[in-house]
Amino acid sequence: MKTILKNCRLLGTSHDKTMLHDIYVEGGVIEKIGLNLQVEGAKVLDVGGHMVLPGLIDMHCNICDPGHEYIEDIATVSRAALRGGFTTITCEPNTSPAIDNKTVVEYIVSKSKEKSLVNIYPYGSMSIACEGEQMAEIGEMFDAGIVGISDGDEFTDSAAFLRNVMIYSKMFDLPVMTHCEDRGLSARGVMNEGYAAACLGLAGMPRVAEEVIVARNLNLAERTGARLHIAHISTKGSVQLIREAKGRGVGVTCETSPHYFILTEDAIGDYDTLAKVNPPLRTKEDVYAIIEGIVDGTIDVIASGHSPTNMTEKEKEFDQAAYGISALETALSLSYTHLVEKGYITAEKLVDMMSNKPAEILKLYNKGMLAEGMDADIIVVDFMETHTIDPEHFASKAKFSPFAEEEVRGKVLYTMVGGKMLT
């Protein structure tokens, strides 16, 4: 199918964004970017001078399929991604069964092609059943299509095991994605350790529970030469450890999510379980450090951190309530509102962190940029329009958010995936 997007203000390219360009798409590929393009037989969509970006790529997303489809499934998560401007998402391996063998990888890939509106790339579990004990068949999963190895949000207790995984991962040049948490320090905790937890009478999760494992994993990556990626960092200490490691030349990248540079532990207020996430929300000092890490490039990626759960599991006493957040449909607008609108970073930097850099880390070479020859994964966004976050209208099954009723800028108007216009 031939399509021309006319009057595009391009972000994430070398083209002058003050000028209006046209994008000609054919066969799922961007064939030409230029001025006043005309192609016989092409369908024309005039985007009216709105910003046009490469489709966003989410590096941290829990799909819950297979095994927990009642919470989220491939069809609903893809619709949520589409609404949020994500044309490519990843699948954490802690499903049921876990993505620890080629059969489950093939199931995800096959079902995604059948049911998903967006591209889905699975991570393979580094260990059997994500239990951190026996190494999974990483080579077979690589052949089946994984783009990284991870145990999801499970903590890898054994440094010896992780070291072996890192050494083995180099055969396939796969990033090793790690959730950094020492459960011996954080196991009883349900929110950040500190004054707020003491006032609420809740057990705390100390910053050091994250930071001690960040330090350990950085040391292992430095010794093995593996590609380490640290998920959802939340503390000032973690940012500083990664900044210093990068300064030494360690092959590390990292991500954070909007709730870690917007909200503090105060969002829990009077035991609001919608603000119960893992890692927990921290303090103003940590929020400022996360923003500083985004500004100076220590933090490479902004991921949604989409971790859906059933509302019945949220509507419990805080100690018993489930962790989780519905985030695919809000990540772009929240990031634009709180980072670009406030002058911390440019819109171009935001596109780099949510599209180009994830593509680079995951080696998705035909994605993440608006350029001739690249996949036609494209979004059109109105960054001038203000709208109110309304979880009741989420496409995700997880219709809740700690950001409900917040006014934000940035509405996705059109989404094209593989040259097919879907919204």
Side-chain angles (χ1 to χ4, degrees), residues 36-81:
N36 301 314
L37 298 181
Q38 294 185 13
V39 178
E40 185 177 353
K43 179 181 178 180
V44 176
L45 174 64
D46 191 330
V47 305
H50 288 300
M51 289 293 183
V52 179
L53 292 61
L56 307 183
I57 300 172
D58 192 12
M59 287 190 66
H60 198 104
C61 179
N62 287 274
I63 291 179
C64 307
D65 184 352
H68 303 286
E69 291 90 343
Y70 68 97
I71 295 175
E72 193 81 281
D73 60 43
I74 285 176
T76 58
V77 80
S78 75
R79 289 197 294 271

mmCIF file of all heavy atoms in Angstrom, residues 36-81:
data_model
loop_
_atom_site.group_PDB
_atom_site.id
_atom_site.type_symbol
_atom_site.label_atom_id
_atom_site.label_comp_id
_atom_site.label_asym_id
_atom_site.label_seq_id
_atom_site.Cartn_x
_atom_site.Cartn_y
_atom_site.Cartn_z
ATOM 1 N N ASN A 36 6.679 18.377 -0.907
ATOM 2 C CA ASN A 36 5.653 18.312 -1.952
ATOM 3 C C ASN A 36 5.724 17.027 -2.771
ATOM 4 O O ASN A 36 5.723 17.055 -4.004
ATOM 5 C CB ASN A 36 5.761 19.528 -2.878
ATOM 6 C CG ASN A 36 5.611 20.837 -2.125
ATOM 7 O OD1 ASN A 36 4.704 20.983 -1.308
ATOM 8 N ND2 ASN A 36 6.514 21.776 -2.395
ATOM 9 N N LEU A 37 5.795 15.900 -2.076
ATOM 10 C CA LEU A 37 5.886 14.614 -2.769
ATOM 11 C C LEU A 37 4.546 14.250 -3.407
ATOM 12 O O LEU A 37 3.483 14.479 -2.826
ATOM 13 C CB LEU A 37 6.290 13.512 -1.789
ATOM 14 C CG LEU A 37 7.659 13.656 -1.113
ATOM 15 C CD1 LEU A 37 7.920 12.462 -0.196
ATOM 16 C CD2 LEU A 37 8.772 13.768 -2.146
ATOM 17 N N GLN A 38 4.628 13.669 -4.595
ATOM 18 C CA GLN A 38 3.445 13.196 -5.288
ATOM 19 C C GLN A 38 3.749 11.828 -5.883
ATOM 20 O O GLN A 38 4.756 11.652 -6.574
ATOM 21 C CB GLN A 38 3.030 14.173 -6.392
ATOM 22 C CG GLN A 38 2.576 15.531 -5.871
ATOM 23 C CD GLN A 38 2.071 16.430 -6.990
ATOM 24 O OE1 GLN A 38 1.827 15.980 -8.097
ATOM 25 N NE2 GLN A 38 1.913 17.712 -6.675
ATOM 26 N N VAL A 39 2.891 10.857 -5.575
ATOM 27 C CA VAL A 39 3.055 9.494 -6.092
ATOM 28 C C VAL A 39 1.696 9.015 -6.583
ATOM 29 O O VAL A 39 0.705 9.049 -5.845
ATOM 30 C CB VAL A 39 3.591 8.542 -5.003
ATOM 31 C CG1 VAL A 39 3.697 7.125 -5.546
ATOM 32 C CG2 VAL A 39 4.945 9.015 -4.484
ATOM 33 N N GLU A 40 1.650 8.569 -7.812
ATOM 34 C CA GLU A 40 0.383 8.107 -8.389
ATOM 35 C C GLU A 40 -0.158 6.909 -7.614
ATOM 36 O O GLU A 40 0.569 5.951 -7.324
ATOM 37 C CB GLU A 40 0.592 7.728 -9.856
ATOM 38 C CG GLU A 40 -0.699 7.344 -10.558
ATOM 39 C CD GLU A 40 -0.491 7.049 -12.032
ATOM 40 O OE1 GLU A 40 0.647 7.283 -12.521
ATOM 41 O OE2 GLU A 40 -1.443 6.576 -12.675
ATOM 42 N N GLY A 41 -1.428 6.980 -7.256
ATOM 43 C CA GLY A 41 -2.076 5.871 -6.572
ATOM 44 C C GLY A 41 -1.886 5.857 -5.072
ATOM 45 O O GLY A 41 -2.401 4.963 -4.393
ATOM 46 N N ALA A 42 -1.159 6.819 -4.522
ATOM 47 C CA ALA A 42 -0.905 6.837 -3.081
ATOM 48 C C ALA A 42 -2.065 7.488 -2.328
ATOM 49 O O ALA A 42 -2.617 8.499 -2.765
ATOM 50 C CB ALA A 42 0.390 7.577 -2.776
ATOM 51 N N LYS A 43 -2.402 6.902 -1.184
ATOM 52 C CA LYS A 43 -3.378 7.516 -0.294
ATOM 53 C C LYS A 43 -2.685 8.665 0.428
ATOM 54 O O LYS A 43 -1.543 8.528 0.889
ATOM 55 C CB LYS A 43 -3.883 6.491 0.721
ATOM 56 C CG LYS A 43 -4.886 7.048 1.719
ATOM 57 C CD LYS A 43 -5.315 5.969 2.712
ATOM 58 C CE LYS A 43 -6.283 6.538 3.740
ATOM 59 N NZ LYS A 43 -6.712 5.508 4.730
ATOM 60 N N VAL A 44 -3.356 9.804 0.547
ATOM 61 C CA VAL A 44 -2.753 10.995 1.145
ATOM 62 C C VAL A 44 -3.440 11.319 2.458
ATOM 63 O O VAL A 44 -4.665 11.363 2.540
ATOM 64 C CB VAL A 44 -2.843 12.203 0.187
ATOM 65 C CG1 VAL A 44 -2.307 13.457 0.862
ATOM 66 C CG2 VAL A 44 -2.081 11.921 -1.102
ATOM 67 N N LEU A 45 -2.626 11.533 3.486
ATOM 68 C CA LEU A 45 -3.130 11.983 4.784
ATOM 69 C C LEU A 45 -2.412 13.267 5.149
ATOM 70 O O LEU A 45 -1.191 13.273 5.335
ATOM 71 C CB LEU A 45 -2.899 10.931 5.868
ATOM 72 C CG LEU A 45 -3.266 11.352 7.290
ATOM 73 C CD1 LEU A 45 -4.763 11.618 7.415
ATOM 74 C CD2 LEU A 45 -2.836 10.292 8.301
ATOM 75 N N ASP A 46 -3.151 14.357 5.242
ATOM 76 C CA ASP A 46 -2.587 15.645 5.638
ATOM 77 C C ASP A 46 -2.627 15.743 7.161
ATOM 78 O O ASP A 46 -3.702 15.757 7.758
ATOM 79 C CB ASP A 46 -3.391 16.780 5.020
ATOM 80 C CG ASP A 46 -2.701 18.138 5.162
ATOM 81 O OD1 ASP A 46 -1.958 18.323 6.157
ATOM 82 O OD2 ASP A 46 -2.914 19.007 4.294
ATOM 83 N N VAL A 47 -1.450 15.783 7.801
ATOM 84 C CA VAL A 47 -1.393 15.808 9.263
ATOM 85 C C VAL A 47 -1.406 17.232 9.817
ATOM 86 O O VAL A 47 -1.298 17.440 11.029
ATOM 87 C CB VAL A 47 -0.179 15.017 9.802
ATOM 88 C CG1 VAL A 47 -0.195 13.600 9.269
ATOM 89 C CG2 VAL A 47 1.137 15.700 9.455
ATOM 90 N N GLY A 48 -1.507 18.207 8.941
ATOM 91 C CA GLY A 48 -1.767 19.573 9.374
ATOM 92 C C GLY A 48 -0.679 20.244 10.173
ATOM 93 O O GLY A 48 -0.960 21.091 11.028
ATOM 94 N N GLY A 49 0.567 19.883 9.906
ATOM 95 C CA GLY A 49 1.662 20.552 10.594
ATOM 96 C C GLY A 49 1.949 20.039 11.992
ATOM 97 O O GLY A 49 2.756 20.625 12.719
ATOM 98 N N HIS A 50 1.314 18.930 12.384
ATOM 99 C CA HIS A 50 1.590 18.362 13.703
ATOM 100 C C HIS A 50 2.958 17.658 13.712
ATOM 101 O O HIS A 50 3.520 17.341 12.664
ATOM 102 C CB HIS A 50 0.495 17.374 14.100
ATOM 103 C CG HIS A 50 -0.804 18.030 14.451
ATOM 104 N ND1 HIS A 50 -0.927 18.942 15.479
ATOM 105 C CD2 HIS A 50 -2.045 17.912 13.913
ATOM 106 C CE1 HIS A 50 -2.174 19.353 15.565
ATOM 107 N NE2 HIS A 50 -2.875 18.747 14.623
ATOM 108 N N MET A 51 3.450 17.414 14.913
ATOM 109 C CA MET A 51 4.730 16.737 15.065
ATOM 110 C C MET A 51 4.611 15.273 14.654
ATOM 111 O O MET A 51 3.668 14.580 15.041
ATOM 112 C CB MET A 51 5.207 16.816 16.513
ATOM 113 C CG MET A 51 5.645 18.210 16.940
ATOM 114 S SD MET A 51 7.140 18.732 16.051
ATOM 115 C CE MET A 51 7.431 20.330 16.828
ATOM 116 N N VAL A 52 5.587 14.811 13.886
ATOM 117 C CA VAL A 52 5.639 13.419 13.458
ATOM 118 C C VAL A 52 6.921 12.798 14.013
ATOM 119 O O VAL A 52 8.018 13.349 13.840
ATOM 120 C CB VAL A 52 5.587 13.312 11.928
ATOM 121 C CG1 VAL A 52 5.673 11.857 11.487
ATOM 122 C CG2 VAL A 52 4.311 13.951 11.398
ATOM 123 N N LEU A 53 6.782 11.677 14.711
ATOM 124 C CA LEU A 53 7.881 11.042 15.428
ATOM 125 C C LEU A 53 8.036 9.598 14.969
ATOM 126 O O LEU A 53 7.061 8.981 14.511
ATOM 127 C CB LEU A 53 7.599 11.009 16.942
ATOM 128 C CG LEU A 53 7.562 12.255 17.805
ATOM 129 C CD1 LEU A 53 6.501 13.240 17.382
ATOM 130 C CD2 LEU A 53 7.346 11.856 19.269
ATOM 131 N N PRO A 54 9.223 9.031 15.145
ATOM 132 C CA PRO A 54 9.324 7.572 15.003
ATOM 133 C C PRO A 54 8.506 6.926 16.111
ATOM 134 O O PRO A 54 8.425 7.444 17.231
ATOM 135 C CB PRO A 54 10.825 7.296 15.177
ATOM 136 C CG PRO A 54 11.344 8.465 15.955
ATOM 137 C CD PRO A 54 10.503 9.638 15.536
ATOM 138 N N GLY A 55 7.867 5.803 15.829
ATOM 139 C CA GLY A 55 7.087 5.112 16.848
ATOM 140 C C GLY A 55 7.918 4.831 18.085
ATOM 141 O O GLY A 55 9.098 4.498 18.003
ATOM 142 N N LEU A 56 7.293 4.967 19.240
ATOM 143 C CA LEU A 56 7.995 4.741 20.504
ATOM 144 C C LEU A 56 8.255 3.248 20.712
ATOM 145 O O LEU A 56 7.514 2.388 20.217
ATOM 146 C CB LEU A 56 7.181 5.291 21.672
ATOM 147 C CG LEU A 56 6.726 6.751 21.575
ATOM 148 C CD1 LEU A 56 5.988 7.153 22.846
ATOM 149 C CD2 LEU A 56 7.904 7.676 21.307
ATOM 150 N N ILE A 57 9.321 2.951 21.462
ATOM 151 C CA ILE A 57 9.712 1.564 21.750
ATOM 152 C C ILE A 57 9.812 1.411 23.259
ATOM 153 O O ILE A 57 10.593 2.102 23.918
ATOM 154 C CB ILE A 57 11.063 1.223 21.086
ATOM 155 C CG1 ILE A 57 10.954 1.383 19.566
ATOM 156 C CG2 ILE A 57 11.504 -0.190 21.465
ATOM 157 C CD1 ILE A 57 12.280 1.245 18.839
ATOM 158 N N ASP A 58 9.002 0.520 23.815
ATOM 159 C CA ASP A 58 8.959 0.346 25.272
ATOM 160 C C ASP A 58 9.841 -0.821 25.689
ATOM 161 O O ASP A 58 9.612 -1.963 25.281
ATOM 162 C CB ASP A 58 7.524 0.102 25.734
ATOM 163 C CG ASP A 58 7.385 0.201 27.242
ATOM 164 O OD1 ASP A 58 8.342 0.678 27.899
ATOM 165 O OD2 ASP A 58 6.334 -0.187 27.774
ATOM 166 N N MET A 59 10.828 -0.535 26.522
ATOM 167 C CA MET A 59 11.773 -1.560 26.966
ATOM 168 C C MET A 59 11.347 -2.280 28.236
ATOM 169 O O MET A 59 12.020 -3.222 28.662
ATOM 170 C CB MET A 59 13.165 -0.951 27.175
ATOM 171 C CG MET A 59 13.877 -0.612 25.899
ATOM 172 S SD MET A 59 15.607 -0.170 26.164
ATOM 173 C CE MET A 59 16.295 -1.716 26.752
ATOM 174 N N HIS A 60 10.247 -1.844 28.863
ATOM 175 C CA HIS A 60 9.846 -2.513 30.109
ATOM 176 C C HIS A 60 8.333 -2.580 30.185
ATOM 177 O O HIS A 60 7.671 -1.636 30.600
ATOM 178 C CB HIS A 60 10.409 -1.778 31.325
ATOM 179 C CG HIS A 60 10.402 -2.621 32.566
ATOM 180 N ND1 HIS A 60 11.540 -3.190 33.066
ATOM 181 C CD2 HIS A 60 9.404 -3.018 33.389
ATOM 182 C CE1 HIS A 60 11.253 -3.897 34.159
ATOM 183 N NE2 HIS A 60 9.949 -3.803 34.359
ATOM 184 N N CYS A 61 7.796 -3.730 29.782
ATOM 185 C CA CYS A 61 6.346 -3.891 29.708
ATOM 186 C C CYS A 61 5.965 -5.311 30.107
ATOM 187 O O CYS A 61 6.521 -6.274 29.591
ATOM 188 C CB CYS A 61 5.869 -3.602 28.284
ATOM 189 S SG CYS A 61 4.110 -3.796 28.042
ATOM 190 N N ASN A 62 5.039 -5.426 31.039
ATOM 191 C CA ASN A 62 4.511 -6.725 31.428
ATOM 192 C C ASN A 62 3.220 -6.979 30.660
ATOM 193 O O ASN A 62 2.240 -6.240 30.809
ATOM 194 C CB ASN A 62 4.249 -6.764 32.935
ATOM 195 C CG ASN A 62 5.534 -6.841 33.737
ATOM 196 O OD1 ASN A 62 6.069 -7.917 33.983
ATOM 197 N ND2 ASN A 62 6.048 -5.681 34.143
ATOM 198 N N ILE A 63 3.218 -8.036 29.860
ATOM 199 C CA ILE A 63 2.066 -8.347 29.020
ATOM 200 C C ILE A 63 1.110 -9.330 29.699
ATOM 201 O O ILE A 63 -0.093 -9.285 29.497
ATOM 202 C CB ILE A 63 2.540 -8.882 27.661
ATOM 203 C CG1 ILE A 63 3.222 -7.749 26.873
ATOM 204 C CG2 ILE A 63 1.395 -9.478 26.854
ATOM 205 C CD1 ILE A 63 3.765 -8.159 25.520
ATOM 206 N N CYS A 64 1.649 -10.224 30.532
ATOM 207 C CA CYS A 64 0.852 -11.178 31.323
ATOM 208 C C CYS A 64 0.298 -12.349 30.512
ATOM 209 O O CYS A 64 -0.459 -13.171 31.040
ATOM 210 C CB CYS A 64 -0.306 -10.487 32.046
ATOM 211 S SG CYS A 64 0.175 -9.084 33.053
ATOM 212 N N ASP A 65 0.625 -12.435 29.252
ATOM 213 C CA ASP A 65 0.151 -13.503 28.374
ATOM 214 C C ASP A 65 1.373 -14.221 27.836
ATOM 215 O O ASP A 65 2.244 -13.587 27.215
ATOM 216 C CB ASP A 65 -0.659 -12.876 27.230
ATOM 217 C CG ASP A 65 -1.302 -13.886 26.293
ATOM 218 O OD1 ASP A 65 -1.013 -15.081 26.411
ATOM 219 O OD2 ASP A 65 -2.086 -13.456 25.424
ATOM 220 N N PRO A 66 1.502 -15.539 28.152
ATOM 221 C CA PRO A 66 0.482 -16.466 28.637
ATOM 222 C C PRO A 66 0.382 -16.539 30.161
ATOM 223 O O PRO A 66 1.282 -16.141 30.870
ATOM 224 C CB PRO A 66 0.983 -17.812 28.091
ATOM 225 C CG PRO A 66 2.473 -17.682 28.107
ATOM 226 C CD PRO A 66 2.736 -16.244 27.736
ATOM 227 N N GLY A 67 -0.769 -17.055 30.613
ATOM 228 C CA GLY A 67 -0.945 -17.421 32.015
ATOM 229 C C GLY A 67 -1.803 -16.510 32.840
ATOM 230 O O GLY A 67 -2.481 -16.955 33.761
ATOM 231 N N HIS A 68 -1.746 -15.202 32.535
ATOM 232 C CA HIS A 68 -2.514 -14.254 33.348
ATOM 233 C C HIS A 68 -3.320 -13.319 32.448
ATOM 234 O O HIS A 68 -3.379 -12.112 32.667
ATOM 235 C CB HIS A 68 -1.565 -13.455 34.243
ATOM 236 C CG HIS A 68 -0.722 -14.304 35.138
ATOM 237 N ND1 HIS A 68 -1.222 -14.937 36.255
ATOM 238 C CD2 HIS A 68 0.593 -14.653 35.071
ATOM 239 C CE1 HIS A 68 -0.254 -15.631 36.845
ATOM 240 N NE2 HIS A 68 0.857 -15.475 36.135
ATOM 241 N N GLU A 69 -3.963 -13.896 31.449
ATOM 242 C CA GLU A 69 -4.692 -13.097 30.469
ATOM 243 C C GLU A 69 -5.848 -12.315 31.074
ATOM 244 O O GLU A 69 -6.309 -11.339 30.489
ATOM 245 C CB GLU A 69 -5.212 -13.993 29.334
ATOM 246 C CG GLU A 69 -4.122 -14.567 28.439
ATOM 247 C CD GLU A 69 -3.592 -15.913 28.930
ATOM 248 O OE1 GLU A 69 -3.823 -16.252 30.124
ATOM 249 O OE2 GLU A 69 -2.953 -16.613 28.151
ATOM 250 N N TYR A 70 -6.318 -12.755 32.242
ATOM 251 C CA TYR A 70 -7.396 -12.013 32.908
ATOM 252 C C TYR A 70 -6.904 -10.640 33.384
ATOM 253 O O TYR A 70 -7.706 -9.725 33.591
ATOM 254 C CB TYR A 70 -7.963 -12.819 34.082
ATOM 255 C CG TYR A 70 -7.017 -12.997 35.238
ATOM 256 C CD1 TYR A 70 -7.074 -12.159 36.347
ATOM 257 C CD2 TYR A 70 -6.040 -13.990 35.219
ATOM 258 C CE1 TYR A 70 -6.191 -12.316 37.405
ATOM 259 C CE2 TYR A 70 -5.162 -14.154 36.272
ATOM 260 C CZ TYR A 70 -5.238 -13.316 37.362
ATOM 261 O OH TYR A 70 -4.357 -13.469 38.412
ATOM 262 N N ILE A 71 -5.590 -10.487 33.553
ATOM 263 C CA ILE A 71 -5.012 -9.202 33.943
ATOM 264 C C ILE A 71 -4.727 -8.339 32.714
ATOM 265 O O ILE A 71 -5.060 -7.152 32.670
ATOM 266 C CB ILE A 71 -3.716 -9.419 34.753
ATOM 267 C CG1 ILE A 71 -4.028 -10.107 36.084
ATOM 268 C CG2 ILE A 71 -3.006 -8.085 35.003
ATOM 269 C CD1 ILE A 71 -2.795 -10.463 36.897
ATOM 270 N N GLU A 72 -4.099 -8.935 31.716
ATOM 271 C CA GLU A 72 -3.780 -8.261 30.457
ATOM 272 C C GLU A 72 -3.485 -9.344 29.432
ATOM 273 O O GLU A 72 -3.003 -10.433 29.792
ATOM 274 C CB GLU A 72 -2.561 -7.349 30.633
ATOM 275 C CG GLU A 72 -2.322 -6.380 29.489
ATOM 276 C CD GLU A 72 -3.206 -5.123 29.566
ATOM 277 O OE1 GLU A 72 -4.392 -5.241 29.183
ATOM 278 O OE2 GLU A 72 -2.714 -4.070 30.001
ATOM 279 N N ASP A 73 -3.772 -9.081 28.185
ATOM 280 C CA ASP A 73 -3.421 -10.039 27.138
ATOM 281 C C ASP A 73 -2.803 -9.291 25.960
ATOM 282 O O ASP A 73 -2.737 -8.058 25.955
ATOM 283 C CB ASP A 73 -4.613 -10.893 26.723
ATOM 284 C CG ASP A 73 -5.787 -10.082 26.184
ATOM 285 O OD1 ASP A 73 -5.551 -9.147 25.388
ATOM 286 O OD2 ASP A 73 -6.937 -10.372 26.554
ATOM 287 N N ILE A 74 -2.374 -10.043 24.985
ATOM 288 C CA ILE A 74 -1.663 -9.440 23.864
ATOM 289 C C ILE A 74 -2.541 -8.444 23.113
ATOM 290 O O ILE A 74 -2.082 -7.367 22.709
ATOM 291 C CB ILE A 74 -1.118 -10.539 22.931
ATOM 292 C CG1 ILE A 74 0.117 -11.195 23.582
ATOM 293 C CG2 ILE A 74 -0.752 -9.975 21.561
ATOM 294 C CD1 ILE A 74 0.708 -12.358 22.816
ATOM 295 N N ALA A 75 -3.808 -8.762 22.944
ATOM 296 C CA ALA A 75 -4.702 -7.858 22.220
ATOM 297 C C ALA A 75 -4.905 -6.546 22.969
ATOM 298 O O ALA A 75 -4.808 -5.459 22.383
ATOM 299 C CB ALA A 75 -6.053 -8.540 21.982
ATOM 300 N N THR A 76 -5.163 -6.616 24.277
ATOM 301 C CA THR A 76 -5.434 -5.375 25.027
ATOM 302 C C THR A 76 -4.172 -4.556 25.234
ATOM 303 O O THR A 76 -4.203 -3.326 25.176
ATOM 304 C CB THR A 76 -6.088 -5.675 26.388
ATOM 305 O OG1 THR A 76 -5.239 -6.549 27.166
ATOM 306 C CG2 THR A 76 -7.446 -6.319 26.206
ATOM 307 N N VAL A 77 -3.050 -5.223 25.468
ATOM 308 C CA VAL A 77 -1.818 -4.466 25.680
ATOM 309 C C VAL A 77 -1.398 -3.768 24.396
ATOM 310 O O VAL A 77 -0.854 -2.658 24.421
ATOM 311 C CB VAL A 77 -0.682 -5.366 26.224
ATOM 312 C CG1 VAL A 77 -0.010 -6.189 25.125
ATOM 313 C CG2 VAL A 77 0.374 -4.548 26.952
ATOM 314 N N SER A 78 -1.690 -4.391 23.254
ATOM 315 C CA SER A 78 -1.319 -3.747 21.987
ATOM 316 C C SER A 78 -2.187 -2.528 21.723
ATOM 317 O O SER A 78 -1.707 -1.521 21.192
ATOM 318 C CB SER A 78 -1.400 -4.750 20.830
ATOM 319 O OG SER A 78 -2.729 -5.018 20.447
ATOM 320 N N ARG A 79 -3.464 -2.588 22.098
ATOM 321 C CA ARG A 79 -4.325 -1.415 21.933
ATOM 322 C C ARG A 79 -3.895 -0.285 22.869
ATOM 323 O O ARG A 79 -3.925 0.889 22.482
ATOM 324 C CB ARG A 79 -5.792 -1.793 22.186
ATOM 325 C CG ARG A 79 -6.388 -2.666 21.090
ATOM 326 C CD ARG A 79 -7.901 -2.669 21.144
ATOM 327 N NE ARG A 79 -8.415 -3.306 22.346
ATOM 328 C CZ ARG A 79 -8.689 -4.589 22.461
ATOM 329 N NH1 ARG A 79 -8.481 -5.407 21.437
ATOM 330 N NH2 ARG A 79 -9.177 -5.082 23.587
ATOM 331 N N ALA A 80 -3.492 -0.653 24.079
ATOM 332 C CA ALA A 80 -2.989 0.354 25.020
ATOM 333 C C ALA A 80 -1.708 0.989 24.496
ATOM 334 O O ALA A 80 -1.519 2.211 24.574
ATOM 335 C CB ALA A 80 -2.747 -0.277 26.389
ATOM 336 N N ALA A 81 -0.816 0.159 23.951
ATOM 337 C CA ALA A 81 0.434 0.668 23.386
ATOM 338 C C ALA A 81 0.143 1.640 22.248
ATOM 339 O O ALA A 81 0.741 2.726 22.161
ATOM 340 C CB ALA A 81 1.298 -0.491 22.901
#
